[in-house]
Amino acid sequence: MLGNIVDRIRRLGALFQLCVVVPTIAALLYFGLFASDVYLSESQFVVRNPEKPAATGLGVLLKSTGIGDGGDEIYSAESFVQSRDALSALNKDGFIKTAYTRPTISIFDRFNPVGWDRTFEDLYRYFQRRVTIEHESTGSITKLTVRAYTPADAYKINLRLLELSEGLVNRLNARARADLIRFAEVDVRDAERKAAAAALALSSYRNNRGVVDPEKRPRSNCK
């Protein structure tokens, strides 16, 4: 039976064997024998900014509560999660490198299995393929997925990325509030200067024209 199958494959030609048979056998060997178990840690979060109401249907409902959709902050968080700064913060104590170089990981999945990829950029390219973040604009929900080779590593990396992203969003919001206060103070001072200048100009005009202010005219008491 097996011999008949082999004969049929041979008759199909070398191109078929190269394009179909060889990749299929390689995939079976990889996923059946060599590939390491991959654990996924997934989290979903919503970024809100009380000063930027959302224009979506959910945002209209939340508008009355003063809670809005932080669009700029969402994109900042998404960019940060897969950035070099995030990896540098995560790997400050060598945690990321340790998590992805465990000897229990297959050499096909492990970082730097033969000792050639030693730089931070090598680790960064490897890390980018293990972390994904997607934003659902209709529901304002962002999903973060981390792939690692132990459940504890996947969970810890996901949790740490959430904490770092939250800190970034809070700093951006604090900076935005400080800017709004500063701009408002400048507007108030400018309005005060304009009001004082207008009052001085009006007073000068009255003095030059001899105009009497009826509000300042002395009143006589009639009996």
Side-chain angles (χ1 to χ4, degrees):
M1 183 67 180
L2 182 60
N4 293 334
I5 295 176
V6 173
D7 290 339
R8 290 179 182 178
I9 292 175
R10 288 176 178 174
R11 286 196 296 269
L12 290 174
L15 182 61
F16 177 82
Q17 296 176 25
L18 182 63
C19 297
V20 177
V21 177
V22 174
T24 302
I25 294 175
L28 290 174
L29 290 174
Y30 172 72
F31 291 107
L33 299 177
F34 302 115
S36 300
D37 292 335
V38 180
Y39 298 89
L40 272 65
S41 177
E42 182 179 295
S43 58
Q44 297 182 352
F45 60 92
V46 178
V47 178
R48 294 295 179 198
N49 187 327
E51 297 171 354
K52 297 180 180 179
T56 61
L58 180 60
V60 173
L61 294 176
L62 294 173
K63 186 176 180 179
S64 60
T65 65
I67 300 176
D69 178 20
D72 296 338
E73 289 78 7
I74 290 175
Y75 297 122
S76 298
E78 289 180 359
S79 300
F80 174 76
V81 163
Q82 292 187 315
S83 68
R84 291 173 177 81
D85 289 338
L87 176 58
S88 180
L90 287 170
N91 197 49
K92 185 175 295 184
D93 55 355
F95 167 64
I96 294 297
K97 193 171 183 179
T98 300
Y100 289 109
T101 56
R102 300 185 187 278
T104 54
I105 303 174
S106 166
I107 61 172
F108 298 99
D109 302 312
R110 192 188 315 159
F111 171 69
N112 193 23
V114 294
W116 293 345
D117 302 326
R118 300 178 179 179
T119 67
F120 180 82
E121 286 299 313
D122 295 328
L123 180 62
Y124 174 64
R125 287 192 292 269
Y126 177 93
F127 181 73
Q128 280 187 310
R129 298 193 295 270
R130 269 69 186 176
V131 176
T132 58
I133 186 167
E134 302 172 345
H135 176 64
E136 182 184 348
S137 57
T138 56
S140 300
I141 296 174
T142 303
K143 182 173 70 174
L144 172 64
T145 304
V146 175
R147 293 169 175 80
Y149 299 99
T150 68
D153 288 341
Y155 172 77
K156 187 175 179 179
I157 294 171
N158 195 310
L159 180 62
R160 183 57 180 150
L161 282 173
L162 286 176
E163 293 173 348
L164 292 171
S165 300
E166 182 180 10
L168 172 67
V169 171
N170 290 339
R171 290 194 299 273
L172 291 175
N173 286 336
R175 185 180 302 173
R177 285 192 293 269
D179 290 340
L180 287 174
I181 293 174
R182 185 173 67 255
F183 294 149
E185 290 175 346
V186 171
D187 290 340
V188 168
R189 289 194 295 269
D190 187 53
E192 289 176 346
R193 285 195 297 268
K194 290 180 179 179
L200 182 61
L202 180 60
S203 176
S204 177
Y205 175 82
R206 286 171 176 168
N207 292 334
N208 294 333
R209 299 292 182 175
V211 178
V212 178
D213 188 348
E215 295 182 357
K216 296 182 179 179
R217 181 182 298 174
R219 298 179 180 178
S220 59
N221 296 327
C222 299
K223 294 182 179 180

